[in-house]
């Protein structure tokens, strides 16, 4: 099991690397995280043939393990909809009763399903690599814990405790976390891991030895900082440091957010080597979801990926540059935020000059004329009016994998004509042509039945299909580029942990 002293310490990254490392040994491996809080979700195999949702991190960990992703790998998923409220997804399905329960009240209800899922995975696999959440030493959450040490005790897991040494205070974080655990739980900690190290490793002495003398736990790895490891970010917006008061993190606190934090990477756009030919400006509203699907764009030569929060961020965009409205867990609220920033006018101005605009899922809904919410799912409101569509929110949630071919497109989107795309859908809204506008001749071109529409002018495209840029055919059609394969990324991670862990440690953990 991989535990962390803080959020962002590197638990997801290390779990993914270990899944591939043990798989490369010829073992049957599965990942597990009892509870995840994220609006980055993937559609996977559910119970009794139904599709279900799990956190993106466990989806990628399953691929690293060469396993078929399934809902048991992340039995409880919390999808934040407001600062103090989350939609609860149990074994892949939205559960209204659990959503209505208070944070601590859920533990007793969901623990039997969590334990059963873990036990089934343990019975079916040689190795299960478990990821914790936040820190295991949050004493206010310990009594209701269902994701850290309760899981470790249930499985008798051999635990690694990882810390982000780049933040400073790493040895205090490790010692403090260990010291706050009950004695029986301390015994499960088999090694400390220093992650994101920069500098001369010889300068660490004698701290690891002093730490071992106080705890009995050795420091088993010092892993260098890796700026571009190739995995999508699990939480928040990557390549951007949050500004106080903007509320951009995709993970708002509920209760104590299970001691998890938001994003913390560098405050700069990401540009690949070579002359920049296209800027892709992605609007980073407060409840942004599924942002990990844009990771492949970071690897396209000559493309500049930029996160947008204000009109100033889109000044100077050319018509050939893109504005992207990504998915949202609270479409009406994020649309209101977008208007409050004045970004609605900036997007409209870009579209008027023929600029390329893409809306994905919630972003597609925003591009239409209206949001209608008779069941109180998301909220009512006028859309941006860039597509003659209307969206009605329904209690039933569309969750499915999708494969479909684009019809004939025009303008900047013409290269997608006839391209078959693989992806997934997660949405409550159902979108259709606005009937009154159609009567006046203002008709959107439905270029993928029920999934994608193009504006009459051709520069605005809205799609329900997540994962477009993870599809090699789509990426090649739009940019003539190919991103590194996930298998190459996973193997690189596995090679890294093999180099940086002390000899024999990783094998001893499963002996």
């Amino acid at each position: 099991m991989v535990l962390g002293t803080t959020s962002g310490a590197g638990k997801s990254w290390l779990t993914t690397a270990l899944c591939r490392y043990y798989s490369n040994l010829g073992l049957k491996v599965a990942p597990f995280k009892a509870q995840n809080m994220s609006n980055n979700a993937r559609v996977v195999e559910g119970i009794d043939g139904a599709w279900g949702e799990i956190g993106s991190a466990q989806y990628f960990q399953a691929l690293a393990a060469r396993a078929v992703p399934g809902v048991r790998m992340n039995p409880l998923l919390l999808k934040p909809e407001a600062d103090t409220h989350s939609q609860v997804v149990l074994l892949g399905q939205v559960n209204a009763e659990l959503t209505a329960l208070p944070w601590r009240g859920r533990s007793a209800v969901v623990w039997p399903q969590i334990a059963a899922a873990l036990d089934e995975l343990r019975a079916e696999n040689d190795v299960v690599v478990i990821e914790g959440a936040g820190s295991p030493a949050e004493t206010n959450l310990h009594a209701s814990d269902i994701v850290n040490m309760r899981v470790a005790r249930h499985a008798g897991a051999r635990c690694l405790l990882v810390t982000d040494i780049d933040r400073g205070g790493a040895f205090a974080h490790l010692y403090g976390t260990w010291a706050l655990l009950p004695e029986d739980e301390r015994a499960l900690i088999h090694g400390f891991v220093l992650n994101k190290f920069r500098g001369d490793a010889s300068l660490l002495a004698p701290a690891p030895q002093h730490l071992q003398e106080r705890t009995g736990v050795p420091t088993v790895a010092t892993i260098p900082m890796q700026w571009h490891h190739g995995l999508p970010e699990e939480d928040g917006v990557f390549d951007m440091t949050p500004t106080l008061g903007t509320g951009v993190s995709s993970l708002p606190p509920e209760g104590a957010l299970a001691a998890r934090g938001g994003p913390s990477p560098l405050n700069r756009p990401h540009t690949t080597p070579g002359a920049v030919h296209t800027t892709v400006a992605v609007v980073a509203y407060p409840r942004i979801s599924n942002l990990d699907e844009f990771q492949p764009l970071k690897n396209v030569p000559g493309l500049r990926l930029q996160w947008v929060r204000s009109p100033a961020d889109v000044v100077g965009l050319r018509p050939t540059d893109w504005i992207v409205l990504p998915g949202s867990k609270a479409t009406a609220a994020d649309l209101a935020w977008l208007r409050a920033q004045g970004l609605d006018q900036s997007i409209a101005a870009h579209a008027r000059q023929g600029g390329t605009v893409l809306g994905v899922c919630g972003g597609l809904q925003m591009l239409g004329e209206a949001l209608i919410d008779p069941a109180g799912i998301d909220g009512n409101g006028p859309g941006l009016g860039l597509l003659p569509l209307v969206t009605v929110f329904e209690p039933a949630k569309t969750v499915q994998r999708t494969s479909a071919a684009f019809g004939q497109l025009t303008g900047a989107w013409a290269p997608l004509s006839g391209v078959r795309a693989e992806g997934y859908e997660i949405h409550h809204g159902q979108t259709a042509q606005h009937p009154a506008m159609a009567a006046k001749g203002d008709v959107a071109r439905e270029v993928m039945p029920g999934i994608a529409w193009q504006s009459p002018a051709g520069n605005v495209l809205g799609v329900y299909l997540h994962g477009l840029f993870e599809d090699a055919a789509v990426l090649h059609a739009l940019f003539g580029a190919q991103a590194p394969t996930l298998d190459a990324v996973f193997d690189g991670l596995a090679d890294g942990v093999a180099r940086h862990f002390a000899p024999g440690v990783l094998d001893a953990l499963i002996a």
Side-chain angles (χ1 to χ4, degrees):
M1 184 170 186
V2 179
L3 302 165
T5 58
T6 60
S7 295
K11 295 183 294 294
S12 296
W13 175 93
L14 183 54
T15 301
T16 308
L18 293 178
C19 282
R20 177 50 62 99
Y21 174 86
Y22 290 122
S23 176
N24 282 347
L25 297 181
L27 300 169
K28 187 178 181 183
V29 182
F32 181 82
K33 184 167 185 174
Q35 174 181 282
N36 202 346
M37 176 174 274
S38 178
N39 277 333
N40 294 331
R42 296 289 168 136
V43 176
V44 301
E45 289 187 358
I47 306 298
D48 297 327
W51 293 110
E53 297 179 66
I54 64 171
S56 290
Q58 283 63 63
Y59 171 82
F60 288 112
Q61 288 161 7
L63 297 184
R66 298 184 175 93
V68 177
V71 295
R72 294 178 303 169
M73 296 170 179
N74 175 208
L76 193 66
L77 174 63
L78 309 180
K79 304 188 77 173
E81 296 177 318
D83 284 352
T84 57
H85 177 75
S86 291
Q87 183 184 69
V88 178
V89 179
L90 179 65
L91 290 172
Q93 303 301 314
V94 175
N95 189 301
E97 290 80 11
L98 288 176
T99 298
L101 283 178
W103 177 281
R104 288 185 171 88
R106 295 180 194 140
S107 299
V109 178
V110 300
W111 174 251
Q113 291 96 322
I114 288 172
L118 176 55
D119 290 344
E120 290 169 7
L121 290 175
R122 293 173 63 203
E124 296 167 10
N125 292 276
D126 301 316
V127 179
V128 176
V129 186
I130 306 170
E131 180 185 344
S135 161
E138 304 296 340
T139 54
N140 59 314
L141 299 173
H142 192 272
S144 57
D145 171 44
I146 53 171
V147 65
N148 285 311
M149 300 314 295
R150 187 172 185 179
V151 172
R153 293 196 309 270
H154 179 82
R158 293 168 177 170
C159 300
L160 297 171
L161 181 61
V162 59
T163 193
D164 177 357
I165 195 170
D166 195 54
R167 290 186 177 188
F171 294 103
H173 287 159
L174 291 168
Y175 180 76
T177 302
W178 176 89
L180 285 171
L181 295 176
E183 191 168 341
D184 63 325
E185 295 178 0
R186 292 179 189 171
L188 296 174
I189 307 296
H190 283 244
F192 295 138
V193 176
L194 301 173
N195 191 29
K196 305 181 186 179
F197 179 72
R198 295 186 287 173
D200 182 354
S202 67
L203 298 178
L204 294 172
Q209 181 180 345
H210 287 170
L211 188 62
Q212 185 169 356
E213 290 168 357
R214 287 170 170 80
T215 65
V217 179
T219 297
V220 295
T222 300
I223 300 174
M225 175 70 78
Q226 299 184 58
W227 295 113
H228 304 299
H229 51 63
L231 278 182
E233 297 292 330
E234 182 188 13
D235 301 338
V237 175
F238 49 84
D239 291 329
M240 178 181 282
T241 300
T243 302
L244 185 63
T246 61
V248 154
S249 171
S250 69
L251 289 174
E254 184 195 77
L257 188 65
R260 300 188 63 188
S264 59
L266 302 178
N267 184 18
R268 64 169 187 260
H270 182 89
T271 306
T272 53
V276 174
H277 56 70
T278 305
T279 294
V280 176
V282 182
V283 180
Y285 20 73
R287 305 296 170 209
I288 188 174
S289 68
N290 299 85
L291 60 87
D292 53 328
E293 65 183 310
F294 301 109
Q295 167 72 27
L297 296 181
K298 297 175 68 176
N299 302 314
V300 175
L303 190 147
R304 180 177 183 262
L305 183 63
Q306 174 182 347
W307 298 97
V308 171
R309 290 182 176 138
S310 73
D313 295 331
V314 297
V315 171
L317 288 184
R318 303 161 299 173
T320 54
D321 294 325
W322 296 19
I323 293 180
V324 178
L325 280 67
S328 167
K329 193 64 187 69
T331 304
D334 276 347
L335 181 54
W337 173 89
L338 186 149
R339 283 197 166 96
Q341 312 310 309
L343 278 165
D344 57 330
Q345 299 176 42
S346 299
I347 296 166
H350 185 67
R352 279 197 304 271
Q353 68 170 351
T356 306
V357 178
L358 174 66
V360 180
C361 198
L364 154 67
Q365 296 166 354
M366 294 180 191
L367 290 174
E369 288 292 323
L371 305 175
I372 302 174
D373 189 15
I377 303 298
D378 190 288
N380 299 291
L384 297 175
L386 296 181
L387 288 171
L389 305 172
V390 62
T391 295
V392 178
F393 293 106
E394 299 179 354
K397 191 177 190 180
T398 298
V399 178
Q400 61 189 25
R401 297 288 305 178
T402 299
S403 174
F406 282 99
Q408 189 64 39
L409 292 97
T410 60
W413 305 108
L416 290 177
S417 298
V419 173
R420 176 166 289 275
E422 307 277 346
Y424 58 101
E425 298 178 60
I426 306 176
H427 54 92
H428 280 284
Q430 299 299 322
T431 300
Q433 170 69 45
H434 193 295
M437 298 183 73
K440 297 178 180 178
D442 190 358
V443 179
R445 301 181 65 247
E446 194 170 14
V447 294
M448 190 180 281
I451 299 174
W453 295 263
Q454 186 178 25
S455 65
N459 58 317
V460 180
L461 178 67
V463 299
Y464 266 124
L465 195 64
H466 287 290
L468 277 179
F469 303 117
E470 296 170 344
D471 188 293
V474 170
L475 204 64
H476 187 267
L478 289 171
F479 302 110
Q482 184 173 351
T485 66
L486 281 172
D487 265 335
V489 171
F490 298 146
D491 283 334
L493 299 180
D495 291 344
V497 296
R499 287 195 306 273
H500 299 298
F501 270 78
V505 167
L506 295 179
D507 294 337
L509 288 174
I510 62 169

